[in-house]
Amino acid sequence: MPTGDLNITSMMDMFTIILVFLLMSFATTDAQITPNPQLVLPSSASNDTVEVAVALVVQRDQLRVDGLPILPLVGASAADGGAGLRLPDSALEGSRIPALFRALSEKADAARALAQGAPGADRPAFSGKLLLQIDKDVPFSVVRPILTTAGEAGFDDVRFVTYRSGASR
Amino acid sequence: MARRPMEQNTELNLIPVMNLMSVTIPFLVMGAQFVEYSSLQGAMARIGARPEAGIESPAPPIGLQVTITAEGLGLSVSGGAAGEAERVLLPCAGPCSSVDAYDWAGLGRRLATLKDQHPDELTAVIAPGEDIRYEVLIRAMEVCREERRAQGGPRVLFPRVLIAPGPGSL
C-alpha cells in the first residue's frame, strides 16, 4: 500500500492568515463592554477611546450600575421602537432617581476612600468619570433624570459609549 | 576527481509550529474584539457650572443652543461680543421618524459658519425634547463637536457639549 506524509503546508498558510487577522482584532481597550440584545448602542465617528470608569448601563428592560440591577424600565414594546420606554413613576423624586443616586454615591465614596488610602504623593484622585452605555432607542425623558442624578452624585465627566463607525478611520 | 555530495531531503518539520498555532488561535479568538467602541464626552448643563480643566473659553459665550424636536433641529445664538441674536429652524425633509431624517448637513454648515465667526467659542448646548431618542442626541453631539471635511481631516467646532432640558421638559 502506498504511504505518504500529510502535506500541511497549505494548512500552515491558512493558520498564518488567521493568526495575523486575530492579532489585529485583539482587544486593546481596558473597559469591559458586554454585548446584549437589550442594549444596542448608537454609532459615532468619534476617535475618543473608552476608558475604565464606573459603568452605567441603560438597557431596554433595566438600568444597571457596574453590572448590578438598580431599576427596571417599563413600557418597552417592539411596535413603538422604544419611544414608550420610561422609568417607573415610583422611581423618580423630582428630577432625581434616589436608587441610582445611592448606588452612584456608594461608588464615588469607595473611589474617594481608595484614593485617600493609597500611599505616596501621586495617589489617584476621584475623577468623577462615568461610562454611559444607553440603548439607542431610549427617549430623552429617561436620559435626562439619569444625567441629573449622576451629576448630583459627583460624576461630572460623562462619557457616552458608542459603536465606532468607519468614517473616522 | 571530486565527487559531488549527495543531496539530502531536508524538509522542515512543521508539526510543532502547527501545534503552537492551534494553541494560540483559541486564545486570540477569545480576546478578539470584532466591534470597536468609542466615546463622546458631555455633561448635563448646570447653572454656574465651571468649565472643565483644559477647556477654557477666552471669549464671552455666544449662547449657542441646538434644540431637537419632532419637527426638526433649531439653532439659536443669543449673544456674544456683538450682541447678535439668531434663530434658525432646520425642518426634517419628511417626518422626523429616524435619525437620518434630520438635516445634519445643514446644521453642520451653520455650525461651521458660526465657528468661523467665533473661533474662540468652545461650548454648545444641546436641548432635546422629551421624546427624542438617544441616538439623535448622540448624532447632534457629534455634529456639534466636529466638522467632517472631505479634505484636511475633521475640524474641531464646539468640543464642550452640554445637555439641557429641551422643549416639553419639566
Side-chain angles (χ1 to χ4, degrees):
Chain A
M1 276 181 68
T3 57
D5 290 335
L6 190 66
N7 184 5
I8 59 167
T9 309
S10 52
M11 191 178 275
M12 274 292 297
D13 293 346
M14 186 187 75
F15 270 21
T16 308
I17 291 167
I18 292 173
L19 195 70
V20 170
F21 171 76
L22 288 173
L23 279 173
M24 284 170 63
S25 60
F26 195 72
T28 50
T29 51
D30 299 328
Q32 286 289 318
I33 298 170
T34 310
N36 185 330
Q38 297 293 328
L39 176 71
V40 180
L41 298 173
S43 299
S44 85
S46 170
N47 279 324
D48 295 352
T49 54
V50 180
E51 298 169 31
V52 176
V54 174
L56 201 167
V57 180
V58 185
Q59 300 178 180
R60 282 168 160 262
D61 57 347
Q62 64 177 348
L63 195 152
R64 292 185 293 143
V65 173
D66 274 350
L68 291 174
I70 303 296
L71 275 178
L73 253 66
V74 294
S77 75
D80 62 4
L85 280 172
R86 60 187 170 80
L87 292 161
D89 293 336
S90 57
L92 279 167
E93 194 178 273
S95 58
R96 180 203 273 194
I97 309 167
L100 178 62
F101 181 78
R102 281 193 296 275
L104 289 178
S105 296
E106 283 175 17
K107 294 283 177 190
D109 291 343
R112 287 191 190 101
L114 194 68
Q116 283 176 356
D122 51 348
R123 59 181 62 156
F126 171 62
S127 64
K129 202 175 285 179
L130 185 68
L131 276 186
L132 264 181
Q133 301 168 43
I134 304 180
D135 184 272
K136 66 186 179 73
D137 290 328
V138 170
F140 186 65
S141 57
V142 174
V143 178
R144 181 177 50 78
I146 289 171
L147 287 176
T148 305
T149 307
E152 289 179 6
F155 290 89
D156 290 326
D157 187 357
V158 180
R159 308 293 172 103
F160 300 91
V161 181
T162 62
Y163 290 130
R164 181 174 293 170
S165 58
S168 60
R169 277 175 270 162
Chain B
M1 187 173 152
R3 297 182 65 182
R4 291 178 63 190
M6 279 182 64
E7 289 184 8
Q8 288 184 335
N9 186 6
T10 55
E11 197 171 319
L12 194 65
N13 185 9
L14 293 174
I15 302 293
V17 184
M18 279 283 295
N19 291 340
L20 179 69
M21 284 193 172
S22 302
V23 171
T24 311
I25 284 175
F27 279 105
L28 289 174
V29 166
M30 282 191 290
Q33 192 181 38
F34 299 104
V35 177
E36 280 191 81
Y37 296 98
S38 61
S39 66
L40 289 166
Q41 189 176 12
M44 198 72 184
R46 286 184 298 166
I47 296 169
R50 59 179 170 77
E52 296 117 49
I55 305 181
E56 300 286 345
S57 179
I62 59 171
L64 171 61
Q65 180 166 315
V66 177
T67 53
I68 312 171
T69 64
E71 282 76 45
L73 301 166
L75 179 66
S76 64
V77 177
S78 59
E84 73 270 40
E86 187 185 355
R87 185 178 291 269
V88 181
L89 178 66
L90 302 164
C92 296
C96 299
S97 53
S98 72
V99 66
D100 293 324
Y102 288 87
D103 186 8
W104 301 116
L107 177 65
R109 278 195 299 273
R110 290 185 181 274
L111 289 172
T113 307
L114 276 171
K115 186 67 181 180
D116 292 337
Q117 293 168 354
H118 307 278
D120 294 330
E121 180 59 51
L122 300 171
T123 306
V125 176
I126 299 176
E130 290 287 277
D131 54 346
I132 297 301
R133 293 188 303 147
Y134 175 66
E135 184 180 27
V136 180
L137 168 65
I138 289 293
R139 180 70 69 87
M141 289 177 71
E142 199 181 354
V143 172
C144 286
R145 284 164 57 96
E146 279 186 349
E147 177 193 11
R148 299 274 152 196
R149 297 181 294 187
Q151 292 177 339
R155 172 199 182 196
V156 175
L157 296 177
F158 304 99
R160 185 170 181 247
V161 175
L162 300 176
I163 300 163
S169 300
L170 295 174

